[in-house]
Amino acid sequence: MAIQAAPGDYLVTVYAVKDHRVVEQAEAKVNVEQVGIVKTLANMARDNAALYGFLSIGIALSAGFGVGMVFRKGGGSH
């Protein structure tokens, strides 16, 4: 199961434990941001909702027709 963090700045603390005792500790700031296709789609959804909606519907219809063609059993729906 993948857990995703929301974009933003985080402070991460790491502990080294030996014999049930914390022997060392380190902290670092981590910036989480969206990249690649995820960032492109998120920006499109925010900045151009109509295009994003039509694109989503088009992809869903294409996927549905594609699956229908792959699993076609020779006519009829039953």
Side-chain angles (χ1 to χ4, degrees):
M1 177 173 82
I3 298 174
Q4 297 181 355
D9 294 324
Y10 293 88
L11 179 62
V12 177
T13 306
V14 179
Y15 300 96
V17 179
K18 183 175 183 180
D19 297 327
H20 304 288
R21 299 174 119 183
V22 175
V23 294
E24 201 167 333
Q25 169 182 337
E27 290 185 345
K29 291 182 181 178
V30 177
N31 181 336
V32 176
E33 60 183 38
Q34 295 175 327
V35 296
I37 191 74
V38 172
K39 183 176 182 177
T40 301
L41 291 174
N43 289 340
M44 184 188 302
R46 183 185 66 241
D47 300 335
N48 197 345
L51 176 61
Y52 178 79
F54 286 122
L55 184 63
S56 298
I57 290 169
I59 291 171
L61 287 171
S62 298
F65 284 125
V67 169
M69 295 299 283
V70 168
F71 292 104
R72 177 177 236 154
K73 292 187 177 182
S77 60
H78 296 287

